[in-house]
Structure formats: C-alpha cells, structure tokens
Amino acid sequence: MSFLVIGECVADIVRAPVGSGAADRLHPGGSPANVAYGLGRLGRDVTLLTQLADDPTGRRIGAHLRSAGVRVEIGGAPVRTPSAVVGLDADGRATYTFDIAWSLAAPVPAGLAPDHVHIGSVAAVTAPGADTVLAETERLRDRATVSYDPNVRPALMGEHGAAVARVERCVALADLVKASDEDLAWLHPGEDPRAVAARWLALGPAVVLVTRGAEGSFALTRREEVTVDAPRVAVVDTVGAGDSFMSAVLDTLAGRGREELGALGAESLAGLLRRAGAAAAVTVSRAGAQPPDRSELDAAEALFGLRSGRAS
C-alpha cells in the first residue's frame, strides 16, 4: 500500500510565552508534510511532493521527513522555505502568522503510481500551485483513493465565497474528508457541523470526519453517524494534532476501496475515531508536530482506555 501526499512544508516558529525567558522553537511543519511524516512514523510507504528552498531551514525539514522514511520529491524551489509564526494561548491552542508562497508546477514523477493520494491545506487552494495539485489528483483518482483535509488558514484563503468554492471542489474529488469544527465554522459560520458534513457527503465522499478538539470527533457516512469522546491529556500545544489524527485515519483504513469506505459500520467507525484520537492525544502531549510511531500509538490506546471509551 503506497501513499502520495501533495502539499506544503512549513517551518513552524513557536513563540515562547512573553516573560518566560525561554527561546522560540523551530519545528518542521506544514499540514500535508505532517501527514506524510505521521504515515512514515507508522511504517507506511509514503512520498511527499512538495516545495523546499535550498536553505538551512529547507534542508532541516527535508532531513526531518526522510528520518521517518518519507521520500521527498521537490516540485520546485521557492526563494525561501515557507514559515509560520505560531502563538500559543494559555491552553496551548495555536494561532498562526504565515509567510508562504505555493507555486508547485511539477507533475507527479513518472512511474509513481500510489494507491492513495492525500491533499489539503494551503496547497489545495492557493494559486498558482493548487492548479497542479487538483490536476494531478484528478488524473490519479482513477486508480487511487483520495483524502482531503481543508485545514483552513483564514489569512491565506482570500475572498470567502471563492474559498468555499475551492474547498468544495476538493471535497468532491475526495473519498474521505477530515475537517475540524473550526474549519467548518469559518467556511459556514453559524451552521451546525453535522449539517455541513451531510451536505459534503452529497458532493461525493464516502466518509466525512469532523474533529472537535477536547470534545472528541464524529464520523458520518450515508449509513452511519458515530460520535466518540476525546481522551483527557495534559496539553503542551496543539500543533499538528489534526495531522496526526489524519495520519492515523489513513493508516487504519489502508487498503480499503471506495465501496468499502462507504460500507464502514458503526463499530469500525468508532474504532477508527478512537485510534485517531489516541494519535492526536500523543501529539498534543508534547511540543510541536510529533506524531506517534506504531508502538507509541498502540500504547496510547491502552493507556487512554479508548477501546472501551464511549461512542454514540
């Protein structure tokens, strides 16, 4: 089972709290890159098609990805590696200020025939590179399943109506969509997240997952709706939590085709949400986007008692 992730790498510069005397921390990041790294940590065969500058930060991010076994394909080198200054509130929740350009023009390398394609975040909606992302996804989806995470960054989304249209084009390409309640609140303010998820299902996906931070997550298919609580854990920061959730989802569902995804039963969906929630819990318990490897994820499920956790 091979995975292709297409999207941005970003240097996350986490600001130290004012008056703490601590130094800022630099962590390799970018939502698609984090998903690829998480899949690599779980032992999956994964390639990331991205852009990295030939600068110290770009080389550091490349080495970070390769350390997890991720094959990195560079589709063009920007002038500098994209960055995001990350501010943390008292509860460890992250806000971002971006310096990002996305101009991917190179197609997927010849001979690369993934079984699954994952897209999302800045790369799927930011011109001019988004055109390449969507064209390659459309070309590959005849033989590969597709997942999408909008990972909305309001400062980079442009005019609201156009942004919603771009996101929904990606939703329509995907078999599996994962979004946060914050994503949905920006895209469709005032609407119930379940109503939005149901509307997205009608666009084409077999499964829509919605994360709600400390409140857990829910899954929606045309047959089932399942809600699962989140484990309780001391939060260091929330950087990369949703990406760890996504990596665990893709790992758990590896090998399932479109019809199988649509036929997932309530028990399977609950187990999926629990395992993905355990991955996110590990990540928020330590600084930066540090997803678990397989042994850590197995241990986290046992530690949090998620196999017997509440689902409805």
Side-chain angles (χ1 to χ4, degrees):
M1 176 75 189
S2 61
F3 292 87
L4 171 66
V5 180
I6 310 176
E8 74 274 7
C9 293
V10 179
D12 288 337
I13 303 166
V14 182
R15 292 292 190 220
V18 175
S20 68
D24 294 344
R25 305 189 308 272
L26 189 150
H27 299 287
S31 177
N34 290 341
V35 172
Y37 182 73
L39 285 167
R41 291 269 291 164
L42 292 169
R44 290 296 180 177
D45 178 352
V46 56
T47 299
L48 174 69
L49 176 60
T50 191
Q51 291 185 295
L52 280 175
D54 186 17
D55 57 21
T57 303
R59 291 190 289 273
R60 176 173 173 178
I61 292 174
H64 166 77
L65 290 162
R66 294 182 183 101
S67 73
V70 178
R71 286 184 297 276
V72 181
E73 295 285 347
I74 305 299
V79 173
R80 59 186 177 277
T81 296
S83 65
V85 176
V86 184
L88 301 175
D89 67 14
D91 296 319
R93 288 189 293 266
T95 57
Y96 298 83
T97 303
F98 295 96
D99 178 10
I100 293 177
W102 178 248
S103 56
L104 185 77
V108 172
L112 190 62
D115 300 300
H116 184 88
V117 178
H118 175 73
I119 61 173
S121 196
V122 176
V125 296
T126 302
D131 291 340
T132 301
V133 175
L134 296 183
E136 290 300 282
T137 303
E138 289 172 341
R139 181 178 68 83
L140 292 168
R141 76 183 304 274
D142 286 343
R143 70 170 306 279
T145 49
V146 175
S147 57
Y148 171 58
D149 178 0
N151 192 47
V152 168
R153 298 301 183 220
L156 301 175
M157 298 297 286
E159 191 274 325
H160 184 267
V164 170
R166 291 195 299 270
V167 167
E168 291 186 347
R169 181 182 175 190
C170 296
V171 169
L173 280 174
D175 303 293
L176 169 72
V177 176
K178 191 278 290 181
S180 70
D181 53 358
E182 292 179 346
D183 293 335
L184 300 185
W186 188 87
L187 291 164
H188 300 286
E191 293 196 46
D192 178 66
R194 283 174 170 78
V196 178
R199 196 160 66 243
W200 281 8
L201 274 177
L203 296 176
V207 184
V208 176
L209 309 176
V210 177
T211 59
R212 303 181 300 151
E215 300 304 312
S217 58
F218 69 85
L220 202 63
T221 71
R222 289 169 181 79
R223 302 179 182 183
E224 303 286 353
E225 180 177 341
V226 175
T227 301
V228 168
D229 286 339
R232 300 305 175 196
V233 62
V235 175
V236 174
D237 68 48
T238 62
V239 177
D243 304 324
S244 292
F245 187 102
M246 187 82 246
S247 297
V249 165
L250 297 181
D251 173 69
T252 303
L253 296 178
R256 288 176 171 84
R258 291 191 173 100
E259 291 186 6
E260 292 173 288
L261 290 173
L264 289 169
E267 185 176 347
S268 294
L269 290 167
L272 172 70
L273 295 178
R274 287 170 179 150
R275 187 164 178 83
V282 171
T283 300
V284 302
S285 70
R286 49 200 190 190
Q290 297 188 55
D293 62 21
R294 191 166 299 280
S295 63
E296 289 176 320
L297 183 50
D298 290 342
E301 282 193 300
L303 175 64
F304 297 131
L306 293 177
R307 292 191 176 93
S308 60
R310 184 190 72 85
S312 62

